[in-house]
């Protein structure tokens, strides 16, 4: 087990569009201070902002976790529900179930999950209706 | 092209970042959908938008963008402009619509962000 340089948990509230994005801004700051390369920093930032806004837009609230080891950056999003009935469909570009409120804020293009997958080196999503969704994304540092 | 050139072409007002107008710009993206911007844009890109909320700034922060162009006279509030300034952005606003602003900038030589689509994602 490699040593953990950073472990930080960021609670994200449902429909909190005002604070949505603050966790990602802090994650970016922390990684920049660590001297993470521009390429990785950019990919983590995009994926982090997307997953954070997904918690705001679609979930009943959850936690975004940042873990950094010398080998990789991990982002883990775990929410309290409601779960995704059809994960395969949700992964398609352009597919969106976002509310009008989300759309008025500039979201709901149906690019969130595909964007995360494209930017991460490792991507895993598990979801159960009535329980919640967990997304794990890894970004190699070496 | 520089941000100053865009100000001239679009007859735009500078809302913040007067001292950053000599920054060169290489490509542009026009969208009100931040996920599209997050998917296709790099840091040397200008974002042309009509969306005047804090998420445009957060998107710009994530991507290290240098310039925002507001179209159809949409202007963000003072708080957003102050924060944009702190982030090191130049923000300019034009009365032109998104279509016309893009057309003027394209005619002057600015181009879109190159996108390489994997074959499986080609539109049919």
């Amino acid at each position: 087990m490699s040593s953990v340089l950073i472990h930080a948990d960021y609670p994200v509230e449902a429909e909190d569009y005002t604070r949505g994005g603050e966790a990602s801004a802090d994650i970016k700051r922390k990684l920049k201070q660590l001297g993470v390369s521009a390429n990785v920093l950019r990919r983590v930032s995009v994926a982090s902002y997307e997953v954070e806004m997904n918690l705001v837009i679609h979930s009943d609230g959850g936690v975004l976790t940042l873990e950094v080891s010398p080998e990789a950056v991990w982002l883990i999003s775990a929410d309290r529900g409601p779960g995704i009935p059809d994960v395969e469909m949700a992964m398609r570009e352009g597919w969106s179930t976002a509310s009008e409120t989300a759309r008025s804020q500039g979201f709901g293009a149906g690019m969130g999950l595909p964007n995360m997958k494209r930017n991460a080196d490792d991507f895993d999503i598990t979801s159960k209706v009535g329980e919640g969704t967990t997304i794990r994304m890894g970004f190699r540092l070496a | 092209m520089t941000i100053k050139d865009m100000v001239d072409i679009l007859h735009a007002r500078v809302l913040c970042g007067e001292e950053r107008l000599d920054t060169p710009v290489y490509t542009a993206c026009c969208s009100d959908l931040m996920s599209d911007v997050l998917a296709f844009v790099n840091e040397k890109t200008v974002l042309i938008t009509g969306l005047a909320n804090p998420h445009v700034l957060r998107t710009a922060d994530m991507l290290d963008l240098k310039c925002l162009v507001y179209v159809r006279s949409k202007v963000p509030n003072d708080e957003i402009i102050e924060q944009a300034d702190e982030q090191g952005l130049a923000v300019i606003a034009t009365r032109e619509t998104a279509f016309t602003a893009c057309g003027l900038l394209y005619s002057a030589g600015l181009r879109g962000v190159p996108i390489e689509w994997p074959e499986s994602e080609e539109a049919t």
Side-chain angles (χ1 to χ4, degrees), chain A residues 6-123:
Chain A
I6 295 177
H7 179 114
D9 289 325
Y10 301 89
V12 179
E13 297 302 321
E15 295 192 41
D16 189 351
Y17 289 92
T18 311
R19 294 196 57 203
E22 284 183 3
S24 300
D26 192 67
I27 287 169
K28 189 185 177 195
R29 260 194 307 274
K30 281 192 166 75
L31 295 179
K32 207 170 182 178
Q33 279 169 1
L34 270 185
V36 168
S37 75
N39 174 282
V40 173
L41 188 61
R42 180 193 147 73
R43 290 190 290 120
V44 173
S45 298
V46 169
S48 159
Y49 188 39
E50 287 284 17
V51 82
E52 184 179 358
M53 290 314 295
N54 260 24
L55 285 172
V56 171
I57 295 164
H58 297 289
S59 85
D60 298 332
V63 177
L64 176 58
T65 299
L66 166 72
E67 266 191 23
V68 187
S69 74
E71 292 81 31
V73 175
W74 289 93
L75 291 174
I76 301 117
S77 161
D79 68 38
R80 296 188 284 274
I84 304 169
D86 189 338
V87 171
E88 199 185 324
M89 193 66 105
M91 288 303 301
R92 288 190 193 171
E93 289 191 358
W95 173 260
S96 175
T97 57
S99 64
E100 273 310 307
T101 312
R103 288 172 201 275
S104 72
Q105 295 287 321
F107 296 94
M111 297 298 287
L113 288 169
N115 262 359
M116 293 174 217
K117 191 175 180 185
R118 192 179 290 150
N119 280 288
D121 295 312
D122 290 290
F123 178 89

Side-chain angles (χ1 to χ4, degrees), chain B residues 1-7 10 12-17 20-21 23-29 37 41-49 56-57 59-61 63-70 84 87-93 105 110:
Chain B
M1 188 181 295
T2 64
I3 299 172
K4 174 74 172 65
D5 293 329
M6 293 201 302
V7 170
L10 299 173
R13 275 197 300 138
V14 179
L15 304 179
C16 75
R20 303 173 194 122
L21 298 187
T23 309
V25 296
Y26 299 96
T27 52
C29 170
V37 178
V41 169
N42 60 52
E43 73 279 7
K44 287 169 180 163
T45 302
V46 172
L47 173 58
I48 301 159
T49 189
V56 177
L57 287 192
T59 301
D61 185 22
L63 295 168
D64 289 322
L65 301 185
K66 303 289 182 281
C67 180
L68 301 178
V69 178
Y70 276 96
Q87 273 180 224
L89 282 164
V91 181
I92 67 175
L105 293 172
L110 194 61

